[in-house]
Amino acid sequence: MLKMYVVIRKRGNMYGFRFLIFSLALSQQFFLCAAALAAEVFEQAVVELVNLERRTQGRAPLKRVGLLDASSGLHSDNMASRNFFDHCDLDQQTSPFQRMTAAGYNWNAAAENIAAGYSTPESVMAGWIGSAGHYANILSTSYREIGVGHSNQAGDTANVRRDTNDDCAADTANSGPFHHYWTQNFGRRSNVYPLIINDEAAETDTRDVGLYVYGSNWAQDMRFRNVGEPWSAWEPFSSEKLWQLSMGNGSKTVEVELRNANNNVIAASDSILLMLLCMAADDQLDLHTQVISFQMTFEACSLINAWNNFEIETAGNVTLKAPTIRLGPGFIVRQGAKFKASSVVP
């Protein structure tokens, strides 16, 4: 079951378009393992599928933002827990746009897709893509940001209320069970030009990434940096840029500053989890008892020194290269010795 609502507001004027698309709720097989999947995994998968479809159709990616996640997640949770399916909260009488505003999202263009009865991100996306109104929201160039909410009610029954005449009052109460409730919120804010790493993928296994930057009708120049590193030189604005993340595994944040012809500057950032693949010959290397008085490099996916005495003498020059390095009290560096540890993945 699908439903879609879109409103675009520009310069104080309101233009509303409402599309109601109904389909038979799909009969689903639910397994215990599905209930164990975190909503976050499903929601992130929907974001990535949206951007995959947008890229396939020549559209810019959308940035996932917490404010729209909050409004989407709240609505999905409320539909599941209070047994209704509609854009209007049938108990609190709130519209999608009131919920976005209440979440702190100051929108000037917004839309919502909802769905129920689809058990996976792939199936709900197929449903939305197969519906003209929902698909228009997914591909619309009016939006730059997205939030997704998914709620799974294992004990759902056929008591779901619906509003069939759009007066925000329930006129049926025997729909369902749907178990899975989905919400997508789309939006755009004035003077907010998002930066997006790898089309909003959650993680990457390489430092080389692609950046997308909004602001083509505003910015003249741009510059970038990894957090904690110097800024790059100013360069002419371009929506697409190749970039290299800082070394070492973990969460990586890239920042951008956009500058217009009047020297006004707007900043944005995005983060991604870097999980480099280790190709070293040794998965784990124990730094056991030894005395080193020459130059030597140790490379592995994990370098461990627990309690064994590993001593670098005055003439020693030792480099450790591994994503994970754990050194215990038995690791000794004598005065005058040279020692360097790097998180570069070999």
Side-chain angles (χ1 to χ4, degrees):
M1 181 171 289
L2 307 171
K3 223 175 183 186
M4 185 274 286
Y5 196 1
V6 55
V7 169
I8 299 176
R9 181 177 65 190
K10 295 181 179 178
R11 297 178 183 173
N13 297 319
M14 185 77 74
Y15 304 90
F17 305 89
R18 190 163 191 174
F19 305 86
L20 304 180
I21 301 94
F22 300 98
S23 64
L24 294 176
L26 299 179
S27 175
Q28 304 290 344
Q29 296 294 324
F30 297 99
F31 301 93
L32 291 177
C33 61
L37 291 174
E40 165 61 25
V41 174
F42 274 20
E43 292 159 3
Q44 176 62 28
V46 169
V47 172
E48 294 182 16
L49 289 169
V50 165
N51 281 337
L52 176 62
E53 185 64 24
R54 287 178 65 92
R55 284 294 203 177
T56 300
Q57 302 302 325
R59 307 297 203 278
L62 301 177
K63 179 175 176 61
R64 186 179 183 185
V65 294
L67 297 177
L68 292 180
D69 276 347
S71 60
S72 299
L74 177 64
H75 192 54
S76 289
D77 289 345
N78 286 341
M79 288 192 294
S81 64
R82 294 199 266 106
N83 303 310
F84 73 93
F85 178 72
D86 200 80
H87 289 288
C88 180
D89 187 311
L90 299 183
D91 302 308
Q92 298 178 354
Q93 302 291 296
T94 54
S95 72
F97 316 105
Q98 290 171 319
R99 291 190 295 271
M100 292 183 214
T101 300
Y105 189 78
N106 186 24
W107 56 274
N108 62 14
E112 178 175 272
N113 286 345
I114 59 174
Y118 297 91
S119 62
T120 66
E122 293 77 12
S123 63
V124 74
M125 277 297 296
W128 279 327
I129 289 173
S131 164
H134 298 82
Y135 193 43
N137 276 348
I138 289 170
L139 294 185
S140 176
T141 58
S142 296
Y143 315 121
R144 300 171 185 154
E145 298 171 312
I146 187 174
V148 179
H150 167 258
S151 187
N152 179 15
Q153 187 183 46
D156 206 13
T157 60
N159 65 342
V160 179
R161 296 171 291 155
R162 288 180 47 210
D163 168 25
T164 60
N165 61 1
D166 303 327
D167 63 355
C168 202
D171 42 45
T172 65
N174 59 355
S175 294
F178 299 123
H179 299 285
H180 294 268
Y181 294 81
W182 302 84
T183 305
Q184 286 178 323
N185 283 167
F186 304 89
R188 186 187 70 229
R189 294 176 285 179
S190 297
N191 296 321
V192 174
Y193 301 107
L195 168 66
I196 302 164
I197 304 174
N198 277 6
D199 293 346
E200 208 64 346
E203 64 181 64
T204 178
D205 61 6
T206 175
R207 293 174 59 204
D208 297 317
V209 295
L211 306 180
Y212 187 91
V213 193
Y214 282 88
S216 59
N217 294 325
W218 185 88
Q220 177 174 287
D221 304 301
M222 62 183 186
R223 64 177 182 173
F224 299 85
R225 71 174 177 183
N226 296 313
V227 167
E229 297 181 359
W231 285 102
S232 66
W234 287 101
E235 60 186 275
F237 177 85
S238 175
S239 294
E240 306 268 5
K241 183 174 178 64
L242 297 177
W243 187 252
Q244 189 170 78
L245 303 174
S246 60
M247 293 188 296
N249 284 338
S251 179
K252 303 295 179 180
T253 299
V254 180
E255 298 178 322
V256 63
E257 286 188 340
L258 305 178
R259 184 173 64 185
N260 69 4
N262 296 320
N263 285 324
N264 297 317
V265 175
I266 291 178
S269 66
D270 196 20
S271 298
I272 193 168
L273 181 63
L274 176 60
M275 296 296 292
L276 294 167
L277 299 177
C278 182
M279 304 301 292
D282 294 306
D283 180 49
Q284 178 174 312
L285 183 62
D286 294 321
L287 302 176
H288 53 77
T289 302
Q290 58 183 300
V291 177
I292 298 178
S293 58
F294 49 89
Q295 183 171 341
M296 192 169 184
T297 297
F298 295 88
E299 292 186 349
C301 296
S302 179
L303 291 173
I304 308 295
N305 168 257
W307 298 96
N308 296 323
N309 287 331
F310 184 93
E311 183 175 335
I312 307 174
E313 289 290 288
T314 300
N317 185 348
V318 172
T319 299
L320 305 182
K321 293 183 178 180
T324 301
I325 301 175
R326 296 190 181 96
L327 303 180
F331 191 89
I332 301 169
V333 181
R334 297 296 182 189
Q335 185 175 0
K338 296 181 179 179
F339 167 66
K340 180 172 68 174
S342 172
S343 62
V344 173
V345 177

